[in-house]
Amino acid sequence: MSAATFEYHTPSTIQEAITLLTQYNGEAKILAGGHSLLPIMNLRLAQPKALIDIGKISGLSGIREDNGAIVIGAMTTHYMVESSSLLKQKVPLLPETAAVIGDVQIRNRGTIGGSIAHADPAGDLPAAAVALDMQLKAVGPRGERILSAREFFVDILTTALQPDEILTEIRVPAFAAHTGSAYEKFPNPASRYAIVGAAAVVTVDGSGVCQKASIGLNGITGKPVAAVGVEQALIGKQLNNQSIQEAAAKAADGLEPLGDIFASATYRAHLARVYTKRALTRASGRV
Ligand SMILES: Cc1cc2nc3c(=O)[nH]c(=O)nc-3n(C[C@H](O)[C@H](O)[C@H](O)COP(=O)(O)OP(=O)(O)OC[C@H]3O[C@@H](n4cnc5c(N)ncnc54)[C@H](O)[C@@H]3O)c2cc1C
């Protein structure tokens, strides 16, 4: 199948793109790398009247340090995230996660903003977004607003972004001292999307006691979620095999896991516990 006909625009400023989105009144879509949008258009699951390609807007791509935080433009590709020495040093969870997305062609075109705005429950970066509680800047006709990742994801392919808003940049604090992170996923053997994945960030004090733990899970429900029970169980504990095992056992508590042809709900809950334990074990070994 091929996509239904659509109009195509290449604005050169964010303001121009917002004006177009407003004119189409919810019937236009932003085009970033096109690696999620074009497949669903070809299947006619999406039939937007127009595509607004933001690839020609300058300033939307790149990674920079700003006042103790790392700021990433929405059009920064997965490859740029994967290969950034600044991120490897300051927020290593992101390059590690971007490096396991699909294959090299996908990573060369797909963007961090597209992956987060698309909100595929099996997407890799959304799990890291939750674990890092990213600050996401949305710009629209009513001005700018900042959304935290934990409030951004609403449901399958649904976010708190309004149809006339553009995600322009992502802000993440640089890791504090004694922080370690890891991303572990059980990949679909064909697409490499996560059937279930876990992104973990832990910070300990000088004697190895956990001060902060943050875990984002993907694939388990319709949106990436924080494993709050695991996070709470780790605070104040010495990080070791036993405390990690006990905390990870809570990974699926309170969640209603999805079931599909790839994995039943029961199996997904099991994977959440196993992959949370693996991610926490590697993260704590890296603090
Ligand atoms: C074969 C294949 C395998 C893949 N494997 C994986 C995988 O293993 N893991 C994984 O995580 N992903 C995988 N992907 C998806 C890939 O990561 C996509 O690049 C990503 O999900 C979407 O980014 P994009 O830039 O291509 O966005 P697009 O496809 O251009 O857009 C996706 C959606 O987000 C909206 N959007 C995009 N940018 C913005 C913005 N700045 N503001 C507001 N809305 C915006 C669009 O309107 C659209 O609705 C795979 C894709 C393919 C085709």
Side-chain angles (χ1 to χ4, degrees), residues 30 32-37 78 102 106 110-111 123-124 167 191-193:
I30 293 291
H35 272 55
S36 291
L37 182 55
H78 304 322
I106 308 296
T111 65
D124 294 300
L167 173 61
S191 71
R192 315 306 293 166
Y193 273 104

Side-chain angles (χ1 to χ4, degrees), residues 21 28-40 51-52 54 60 74-76 78 97 100-103 106-107 109-120 122-126 152 161-162 165-169 183 185 187-188 190-194 218:
L21 283 174
K29 281 275 188 193
I30 293 291
L31 177 68
H35 272 55
S36 291
L37 182 55
L38 296 184
I40 60 173
L51 291 188
I52 299 170
I54 56 173
L60 280 184
M75 286 297 284
T76 305
H78 304 322
T97 306
V100 295
I101 293 175
D103 54 36
I106 308 296
R107 299 200 292 277
R109 291 292 303 178
T111 65
I112 186 167
S115 177
I116 288 169
H118 189 56
D120 190 319
D124 294 300
L125 286 168
F152 184 81
L161 270 184
Q162 295 301 307
E165 286 181 313
I166 302 174
L167 173 61
T168 57
E169 70 180 32
Y183 177 62
K185 72 169 165 176
N188 179 307
S191 71
R192 315 306 293 166
Y193 273 104
N218 53 14

Side-chain angles (χ1 to χ4, degrees), residues 51 90 94 102 104 106 177 216 224 234 258 260 264:
L51 291 188
K90 306 277 180 171
L94 281 176
V104 75
I106 308 296
L234 288 170
L258 300 167
D260 59 24
S264 68

Side-chain angles (χ1 to χ4, degrees), residues 118-255:
H118 189 56
D120 190 319
D124 294 300
L125 286 168
V130 169
L132 296 167
D133 202 17
M134 283 177 175
Q135 301 294 296
L136 306 164
K137 190 199 272 188
V139 183
R142 295 160 300 282
E144 285 180 16
R145 60 190 183 122
I146 306 290
L147 297 152
S148 88
R150 292 193 181 202
E151 60 183 344
F152 184 81
F153 297 105
V154 174
D155 204 345
I156 298 180
L157 309 187
T158 309
T159 71
L161 270 184
Q162 295 301 307
D164 55 5
E165 286 181 313
I166 302 174
L167 173 61
T168 57
E169 70 180 32
I170 291 139
R171 180 175 279 262
V172 197
F175 276 12
H178 307 298
T179 296
S181 66
Y183 177 62
E184 289 274 355
K185 72 169 165 176
F186 182 65
N188 179 307
S191 71
R192 315 306 293 166
Y193 273 104
I195 290 176
V196 169
V201 186
V202 289
T203 304
V204 298
D205 66 12
S207 43
V209 173
C210 181
Q211 303 295 302
K212 194 167 174 225
S214 193
I215 294 103
L217 296 176
N218 53 14
I220 182 136
T221 69
K223 62 174 183 175
V225 287
V228 180
V230 180
E231 295 171 352
Q232 288 168 352
L234 288 170
I235 309 288
K237 299 259 169 61
Q238 195 79 34
L239 289 186
N240 54 36
N241 204 26
Q242 190 189 342
S243 61
I244 289 174
Q245 169 84 37
E246 283 169 10
K250 299 176 189 292
D253 288 6
L255 300 176

